[in-house]
Amino acid sequence: MAAMTQGRSMPGSARRRLTAAVPGALLCAALAGCGHGGAAASAASTASAGTLTSAAPSSAAPSTPEPTPSSAAPATPTPTPATEEAATTAPASQEPAQAGGSAASALWGKAYSGTASISVDVYDYCSTDGSRRLAGSRTYSMNSTLHLDRPRTGGDQSENNPFSMLFAAGAPSQAGAVSFWSSSVSTVSSQDLAGNYRDPNLLLTYWNIGWSGGRMDATLTDPHAREAVVLNLLNWPGLLVACRSDLGQMPGGFPHALAAGTTFTGRLDGSGASLTARGGTTDGVVQFRFTFSGTPS
């Protein structure tokens, strides 16, 4: 400040010489560092420049950003193993049977009509010692029908047969009539004869049916008398008074439950039925056998 005041008081020629000398001094100080203090400032300036140089991104080798996958790009499909396709494809032998095929399901919905020739042996216990004896025999014929359908279901159970079967010879109330039921669904009562609870939709299976290559082998395995749902019957007249045939018979016959072990076997296919039945009643009063020949109806 004092130098500037002093300069203003100098003559014009002196002021011009001073003004020209000042920039040169400043340039000398910048180049020479003006002693040790100038060298430290120069070093600090150099360090700052190096730091900036290392921090700045290199324009010669810019980093290439990795491409961001597009959300619209389709996902790479995962190949399905060959074994999975084989597991979900049913073999030809397991394809559903078509109408007219050899599988039992081809018989579902089939009905046959014809005639049953029936022979009956009647027994009683009227001997002097009370033993069972043959009291008489009879042979007769009845119009008959056989219906096949898909296995029945009831509750959470299904009939374990290739088809359900219903055979009827004669009218239910007719003397000598016979009925075969392979299964039924009980909806009559929620209690059995002993008072025990039972499912009113309980499936009852009476017959065990085997069928293969057009041949049926069926056996009555459970009459279900304990459930009081007896449907496999032979309707046969009984005496008004036991051991007194001279006093007459009850009109209309009396239903006798068929015993386990009754069989129904023979040829059965889409073209017709030729079957033979053999069995008896649970009370031992009647033994029977019959042949049934039927055609699709």
Side-chain angles (χ1 to χ4, degrees), residues 118 140 142 144-146 165-174 176-182 206-207 220 230-235 255-259 262 264 277 280 288 290:
I118 306 173
Y140 55 96
M142 285 188 166
S144 305
T145 58
L146 173 64
M165 173 186 70
L166 173 58
F167 173 82
S173 60
Q174 187 178 359
V178 180
S179 63
F180 290 168
W181 291 66
S182 67
Y206 301 87
W207 290 75
L220 177 62
V230 179
L231 299 178
N232 290 268
L233 303 167
L234 173 62
N235 197 31
H256 298 261
L258 299 184
T262 298
F264 199 27
F288 70 92
F290 69 78

Short mmCIF file of all heavy atoms in Angstrom, two decimals, residues 118 140 142 144-146 165-174 176-182 206-207 220 230-235 255-259 262 264 277 280 288 290:
data_model
loop_
_atom_site.label_atom_id
_atom_site.label_comp_id
_atom_site.label_asym_id
_atom_site.label_seq_id
_atom_site.Cartn_x
_atom_site.Cartn_y
_atom_site.Cartn_z
N ILE A 118 -84.75 -124.06 -14.38
CA ILE A 118 -84.40 -124.17 -12.95
C ILE A 118 -84.84 -125.53 -12.41
O ILE A 118 -85.95 -125.99 -12.67
CB ILE A 118 -85.07 -123.04 -12.15
CG1 ILE A 118 -84.73 -121.68 -12.77
CG2 ILE A 118 -84.65 -123.08 -10.68
CD1 ILE A 118 -85.48 -120.51 -12.14
N TYR A 140 -88.68 -126.18 -13.52
CA TYR A 140 -89.55 -125.19 -14.17
C TYR A 140 -88.67 -124.20 -14.96
O TYR A 140 -87.45 -124.18 -14.82
CB TYR A 140 -90.41 -124.46 -13.14
CG TYR A 140 -89.63 -123.81 -12.02
CD1 TYR A 140 -89.28 -122.46 -12.06
CD2 TYR A 140 -89.24 -124.56 -10.90
CE1 TYR A 140 -88.56 -121.88 -11.03
CE2 TYR A 140 -88.52 -123.98 -9.88
CZ TYR A 140 -88.19 -122.64 -9.94
OH TYR A 140 -87.46 -122.06 -8.92
N MET A 142 -88.34 -119.95 -16.39
CA MET A 142 -88.79 -118.58 -16.15
C MET A 142 -88.08 -117.63 -17.10
O MET A 142 -86.88 -117.82 -17.39
CB MET A 142 -88.52 -118.15 -14.71
CG MET A 142 -89.46 -118.74 -13.70
SD MET A 142 -89.23 -118.01 -12.07
CE MET A 142 -90.74 -118.58 -11.25
N SER A 144 -86.02 -114.53 -17.97
CA SER A 144 -84.95 -113.99 -17.14
C SER A 144 -84.24 -112.85 -17.85
O SER A 144 -84.23 -112.76 -19.09
CB SER A 144 -83.94 -115.09 -16.78
OG SER A 144 -84.59 -116.18 -16.18
N THR A 145 -83.63 -112.00 -17.05
CA THR A 145 -82.83 -110.88 -17.58
C THR A 145 -81.53 -110.77 -16.79
O THR A 145 -81.47 -111.09 -15.60
CB THR A 145 -83.59 -109.55 -17.49
OG1 THR A 145 -83.94 -109.30 -16.12
CG2 THR A 145 -84.84 -109.56 -18.36
N LEU A 146 -80.51 -110.29 -17.48
CA LEU A 146 -79.20 -110.04 -16.85
C LEU A 146 -78.75 -108.64 -17.28
O LEU A 146 -78.68 -108.34 -18.48
CB LEU A 146 -78.17 -111.08 -17.30
CG LEU A 146 -76.73 -110.84 -16.85
CD1 LEU A 146 -76.60 -110.90 -15.33
CD2 LEU A 146 -75.78 -111.85 -17.50
N MET A 165 -73.56 -106.56 -11.39
CA MET A 165 -74.42 -107.57 -12.01
C MET A 165 -75.77 -107.60 -11.32
O MET A 165 -75.84 -107.54 -10.08
CB MET A 165 -73.76 -108.95 -11.91
CG MET A 165 -74.62 -110.12 -12.37
SD MET A 165 -73.83 -111.73 -12.04
CE MET A 165 -73.91 -111.82 -10.23
N LEU A 166 -76.84 -107.69 -12.10
CA LEU A 166 -78.19 -107.89 -11.58
C LEU A 166 -78.89 -108.92 -12.46
O LEU A 166 -79.12 -108.68 -13.65
CB LEU A 166 -78.97 -106.57 -11.57
CG LEU A 166 -80.46 -106.68 -11.20
CD1 LEU A 166 -80.62 -107.31 -9.82
CD2 LEU A 166 -81.13 -105.32 -11.28
N PHE A 167 -79.19 -110.08 -11.87
CA PHE A 167 -79.88 -111.15 -12.59
C PHE A 167 -81.22 -111.38 -11.92
O PHE A 167 -81.32 -111.40 -10.68
CB PHE A 167 -79.07 -112.44 -12.57
CG PHE A 167 -79.80 -113.62 -13.14
CD1 PHE A 167 -79.86 -113.83 -14.52
CD2 PHE A 167 -80.45 -114.52 -12.30
CE1 PHE A 167 -80.54 -114.91 -15.04
CE2 PHE A 167 -81.13 -115.61 -12.82
CZ PHE A 167 -81.19 -115.80 -14.20
N ALA A 168 -82.25 -111.58 -12.74
CA ALA A 168 -83.59 -111.84 -12.20
C ALA A 168 -84.27 -112.89 -13.07
O ALA A 168 -84.35 -112.75 -14.29
CB ALA A 168 -84.42 -110.56 -12.17
N ALA A 169 -84.76 -113.96 -12.41
CA ALA A 169 -85.57 -114.98 -13.07
C ALA A 169 -86.97 -114.91 -12.47
O ALA A 169 -87.16 -115.15 -11.27
CB ALA A 169 -84.97 -116.37 -12.85
N GLY A 170 -87.96 -114.54 -13.30
CA GLY A 170 -89.32 -114.40 -12.81
C GLY A 170 -89.54 -113.09 -12.08
O GLY A 170 -88.60 -112.32 -11.83
N ALA A 171 -90.80 -112.82 -11.72
CA ALA A 171 -91.15 -111.63 -10.95
C ALA A 171 -90.76 -111.84 -9.49
O ALA A 171 -90.78 -112.98 -8.99
CB ALA A 171 -92.64 -111.35 -11.08
N PRO A 172 -90.41 -110.77 -8.77
CA PRO A 172 -89.94 -110.94 -7.38
C PRO A 172 -90.92 -111.67 -6.48
O PRO A 172 -90.50 -112.41 -5.57
CB PRO A 172 -89.73 -109.49 -6.91
CG PRO A 172 -89.48 -108.72 -8.16
CD PRO A 172 -90.31 -109.37 -9.21
N SER A 173 -92.23 -111.50 -6.68
CA SER A 173 -93.22 -112.13 -5.79
C SER A 173 -93.65 -113.52 -6.27
O SER A 173 -94.47 -114.18 -5.62
CB SER A 173 -94.45 -111.23 -5.67
OG SER A 173 -95.05 -111.03 -6.95
N GLN A 174 -93.10 -113.95 -7.39
CA GLN A 174 -93.51 -115.22 -7.98
C GLN A 174 -92.79 -116.38 -7.31
O GLN A 174 -91.59 -116.32 -7.04
CB GLN A 174 -93.21 -115.19 -9.48
CG GLN A 174 -93.72 -116.39 -10.26
CD GLN A 174 -93.43 -116.25 -11.74
OE1 GLN A 174 -92.84 -115.24 -12.18
NE2 GLN A 174 -93.83 -117.26 -12.51
N GLY A 176 -90.66 -119.49 -6.92
CA GLY A 176 -89.59 -120.02 -7.74
C GLY A 176 -88.68 -118.95 -8.34
O GLY A 176 -87.71 -119.29 -9.02
N ALA A 177 -88.98 -117.68 -8.10
CA ALA A 177 -88.16 -116.59 -8.65
C ALA A 177 -86.80 -116.56 -7.98
O ALA A 177 -86.65 -116.90 -6.79
CB ALA A 177 -88.87 -115.25 -8.47
N VAL A 178 -85.78 -116.12 -8.74
CA VAL A 178 -84.41 -116.04 -8.25
C VAL A 178 -83.87 -114.65 -8.56
O VAL A 178 -84.14 -114.08 -9.63
CB VAL A 178 -83.51 -117.11 -8.91
CG1 VAL A 178 -82.08 -117.01 -8.39
CG2 VAL A 178 -84.07 -118.50 -8.69
N SER A 179 -83.09 -114.10 -7.63
CA SER A 179 -82.45 -112.79 -7.88
C SER A 179 -81.00 -112.83 -7.41
O SER A 179 -80.71 -113.35 -6.34
CB SER A 179 -83.20 -111.66 -7.18
OG SER A 179 -83.18 -111.84 -5.77
N PHE A 180 -80.12 -112.30 -8.26
CA PHE A 180 -78.70 -112.14 -7.93
C PHE A 180 -78.35 -110.65 -8.00
O PHE A 180 -78.58 -110.00 -9.03
CB PHE A 180 -77.80 -112.88 -8.94
CG PHE A 180 -77.87 -114.38 -8.87
CD1 PHE A 180 -77.31 -115.15 -9.88
CD2 PHE A 180 -78.48 -115.04 -7.82
CE1 PHE A 180 -77.35 -116.55 -9.84
CE2 PHE A 180 -78.54 -116.42 -7.77
CZ PHE A 180 -77.98 -117.18 -8.79
N TRP A 181 -77.76 -110.12 -6.95
CA TRP A 181 -77.24 -108.75 -6.91
C TRP A 181 -75.76 -108.82 -6.54
O TRP A 181 -75.41 -109.36 -5.48
CB TRP A 181 -77.96 -107.90 -5.85
CG TRP A 181 -79.38 -107.57 -6.13
CD1 TRP A 181 -80.44 -108.44 -6.19
CD2 TRP A 181 -79.93 -106.27 -6.36
NE1 TRP A 181 -81.60 -107.78 -6.44
CE2 TRP A 181 -81.32 -106.42 -6.55
CE3 TRP A 181 -79.37 -104.99 -6.42
CZ2 TRP A 181 -82.17 -105.35 -6.79
CZ3 TRP A 181 -80.23 -103.91 -6.66
CH2 TRP A 181 -81.60 -104.09 -6.85
N SER A 182 -74.91 -108.24 -7.39
CA SER A 182 -73.49 -108.26 -7.04
C SER A 182 -73.16 -107.24 -5.96
O SER A 182 -72.21 -107.43 -5.18
CB SER A 182 -72.63 -107.98 -8.28
OG SER A 182 -72.83 -106.64 -8.73
N TYR A 206 -71.79 -108.27 -2.53
CA TYR A 206 -72.23 -109.64 -2.25
C TYR A 206 -71.39 -110.68 -3.01
O TYR A 206 -71.08 -111.74 -2.46
CB TYR A 206 -73.70 -109.82 -2.65
CG TYR A 206 -74.65 -108.89 -1.94
CD1 TYR A 206 -74.92 -107.62 -2.43
CD2 TYR A 206 -75.30 -109.27 -0.76
CE1 TYR A 206 -75.80 -106.76 -1.79
CE2 TYR A 206 -76.18 -108.43 -0.11
CZ TYR A 206 -76.43 -107.17 -0.63
OH TYR A 206 -77.29 -106.31 0.02
N TRP A 207 -71.06 -110.38 -4.26
CA TRP A 207 -70.39 -111.35 -5.13
C TRP A 207 -68.97 -110.92 -5.42
O TRP A 207 -68.66 -109.74 -5.54
CB TRP A 207 -71.14 -111.49 -6.46
CG TRP A 207 -72.48 -112.17 -6.37
CD1 TRP A 207 -73.63 -111.65 -5.86
CD2 TRP A 207 -72.80 -113.50 -6.79
NE1 TRP A 207 -74.65 -112.56 -5.95
CE2 TRP A 207 -74.17 -113.71 -6.52
CE3 TRP A 207 -72.06 -114.53 -7.39
CZ2 TRP A 207 -74.82 -114.91 -6.81
CZ3 TRP A 207 -72.71 -115.73 -7.68
CH2 TRP A 207 -74.07 -115.91 -7.39
N LEU A 220 -70.87 -116.02 -4.69
CA LEU A 220 -71.52 -115.25 -3.63
C LEU A 220 -70.69 -115.42 -2.35
O LEU A 220 -70.56 -116.52 -1.83
CB LEU A 220 -72.95 -115.74 -3.42
CG LEU A 220 -73.74 -115.09 -2.29
CD1 LEU A 220 -73.93 -113.60 -2.53
CD2 LEU A 220 -75.10 -115.79 -2.13
N VAL A 230 -80.68 -108.29 2.61
CA VAL A 230 -80.51 -109.54 1.87
C VAL A 230 -81.24 -109.40 0.54
O VAL A 230 -82.46 -109.27 0.49
CB VAL A 230 -81.07 -110.73 2.67
CG1 VAL A 230 -80.92 -112.02 1.89
CG2 VAL A 230 -80.37 -110.83 4.02
N LEU A 231 -80.48 -109.42 -0.55
CA LEU A 231 -81.06 -109.23 -1.88
C LEU A 231 -80.90 -110.43 -2.79
O LEU A 231 -81.57 -110.50 -3.83
CB LEU A 231 -80.43 -108.00 -2.54
CG LEU A 231 -80.63 -106.67 -1.82
CD1 LEU A 231 -79.91 -105.55 -2.54
CD2 LEU A 231 -82.12 -106.34 -1.69
N ASN A 232 -80.01 -111.36 -2.45
CA ASN A 232 -79.83 -112.57 -3.24
C ASN A 232 -80.77 -113.63 -2.67
O ASN A 232 -80.52 -114.18 -1.58
CB ASN A 232 -78.37 -113.02 -3.18
CG ASN A 232 -77.46 -112.06 -3.93
OD1 ASN A 232 -77.18 -112.24 -5.11
ND2 ASN A 232 -76.99 -111.04 -3.24
N LEU A 233 -81.84 -113.92 -3.42
CA LEU A 233 -82.96 -114.67 -2.85
C LEU A 233 -83.48 -115.73 -3.83
O LEU A 233 -83.34 -115.59 -5.06
CB LEU A 233 -84.11 -113.72 -2.51
CG LEU A 233 -83.82 -112.57 -1.54
CD1 LEU A 233 -84.95 -111.57 -1.56
CD2 LEU A 233 -83.60 -113.12 -0.14
N LEU A 234 -84.08 -116.75 -3.25
CA LEU A 234 -84.91 -117.71 -3.98
C LEU A 234 -86.28 -117.70 -3.30
O LEU A 234 -86.39 -118.00 -2.10
CB LEU A 234 -84.30 -119.11 -3.93
CG LEU A 234 -85.16 -120.24 -4.52
CD1 LEU A 234 -85.42 -120.02 -6.00
CD2 LEU A 234 -84.50 -121.60 -4.30
N ASN A 235 -87.29 -117.33 -4.06
CA ASN A 235 -88.63 -117.22 -3.49
C ASN A 235 -89.35 -118.58 -3.62
O ASN A 235 -89.68 -119.03 -4.72
CB ASN A 235 -89.41 -116.14 -4.26
CG ASN A 235 -90.64 -115.69 -3.50
OD1 ASN A 235 -90.65 -115.68 -2.28
ND2 ASN A 235 -91.67 -115.29 -4.23
N PRO A 255 -89.36 -115.62 0.66
CA PRO A 255 -87.97 -115.38 0.21
C PRO A 255 -86.96 -116.07 1.11
O PRO A 255 -86.93 -115.83 2.33
CB PRO A 255 -87.84 -113.86 0.26
CG PRO A 255 -88.83 -113.42 1.29
CD PRO A 255 -89.97 -114.39 1.21
N HIS A 256 -86.12 -116.89 0.54
CA HIS A 256 -85.05 -117.57 1.26
C HIS A 256 -83.71 -116.95 0.83
O HIS A 256 -83.42 -116.85 -0.37
CB HIS A 256 -85.04 -119.07 0.96
CG HIS A 256 -86.27 -119.79 1.40
ND1 HIS A 256 -86.34 -120.52 2.57
CD2 HIS A 256 -87.50 -119.91 0.80
CE1 HIS A 256 -87.54 -121.05 2.70
NE2 HIS A 256 -88.27 -120.70 1.64
N ALA A 257 -82.90 -116.56 1.80
CA ALA A 257 -81.60 -115.96 1.48
C ALA A 257 -80.67 -117.03 0.93
O ALA A 257 -80.57 -118.14 1.46
CB ALA A 257 -81.00 -115.34 2.73
N LEU A 258 -79.98 -116.67 -0.14
CA LEU A 258 -79.01 -117.59 -0.73
C LEU A 258 -77.74 -117.62 0.11
O LEU A 258 -77.30 -116.60 0.65
CB LEU A 258 -78.67 -117.17 -2.17
CG LEU A 258 -79.85 -117.17 -3.15
CD1 LEU A 258 -79.36 -116.84 -4.55
CD2 LEU A 258 -80.59 -118.50 -3.14
N ALA A 259 -77.15 -118.80 0.22
CA ALA A 259 -75.98 -119.00 1.08
C ALA A 259 -74.70 -118.64 0.34
O ALA A 259 -74.61 -118.72 -0.90
CB ALA A 259 -75.92 -120.45 1.55
N THR A 262 -72.64 -119.93 -3.37
CA THR A 262 -73.41 -120.05 -4.61
C THR A 262 -72.56 -119.51 -5.76
O THR A 262 -71.89 -118.48 -5.63
CB THR A 262 -74.72 -119.25 -4.50
OG1 THR A 262 -75.50 -119.81 -3.44
CG2 THR A 262 -75.50 -119.30 -5.79
N PHE A 264 -71.96 -118.69 -10.16
CA PHE A 264 -72.59 -118.30 -11.42
C PHE A 264 -71.46 -118.19 -12.44
O PHE A 264 -70.67 -117.25 -12.41
CB PHE A 264 -73.31 -116.96 -11.23
CG PHE A 264 -74.35 -116.64 -12.27
CD1 PHE A 264 -75.04 -117.63 -12.96
CD2 PHE A 264 -74.68 -115.31 -12.55
CE1 PHE A 264 -76.01 -117.32 -13.89
CE2 PHE A 264 -75.66 -114.99 -13.47
CZ PHE A 264 -76.33 -115.99 -14.15
N ALA A 277 -75.80 -121.66 -12.78
CA ALA A 277 -75.77 -121.30 -11.36
C ALA A 277 -76.04 -122.54 -10.51
O ALA A 277 -76.85 -123.40 -10.88
CB ALA A 277 -76.80 -120.22 -11.05
N GLY A 280 -77.53 -122.92 -2.76
CA GLY A 280 -78.59 -123.28 -1.83
C GLY A 280 -78.95 -122.09 -0.97
O GLY A 280 -78.38 -120.99 -1.11
N PHE A 288 -80.56 -125.57 -5.44
CA PHE A 288 -81.03 -125.28 -6.80
C PHE A 288 -79.86 -125.28 -7.77
O PHE A 288 -78.68 -125.16 -7.40
CB PHE A 288 -81.74 -123.93 -6.83
CG PHE A 288 -80.81 -122.76 -6.65
CD1 PHE A 288 -80.23 -122.10 -7.73
CD2 PHE A 288 -80.49 -122.30 -5.37
CE1 PHE A 288 -79.36 -121.04 -7.55
CE2 PHE A 288 -79.63 -121.25 -5.19
CZ PHE A 288 -79.06 -120.60 -6.28
N PHE A 290 -79.50 -123.90 -12.17
CA PHE A 290 -80.19 -123.49 -13.38
C PHE A 290 -79.19 -123.07 -14.43
O PHE A 290 -78.03 -122.75 -14.15
CB PHE A 290 -81.22 -122.38 -13.10
CG PHE A 290 -80.62 -121.05 -12.73
CD1 PHE A 290 -80.07 -120.18 -13.67
CD2 PHE A 290 -80.62 -120.63 -11.39
CE1 PHE A 290 -79.55 -118.95 -13.31
CE2 PHE A 290 -80.10 -119.40 -11.03
CZ PHE A 290 -79.56 -118.55 -12.00
#
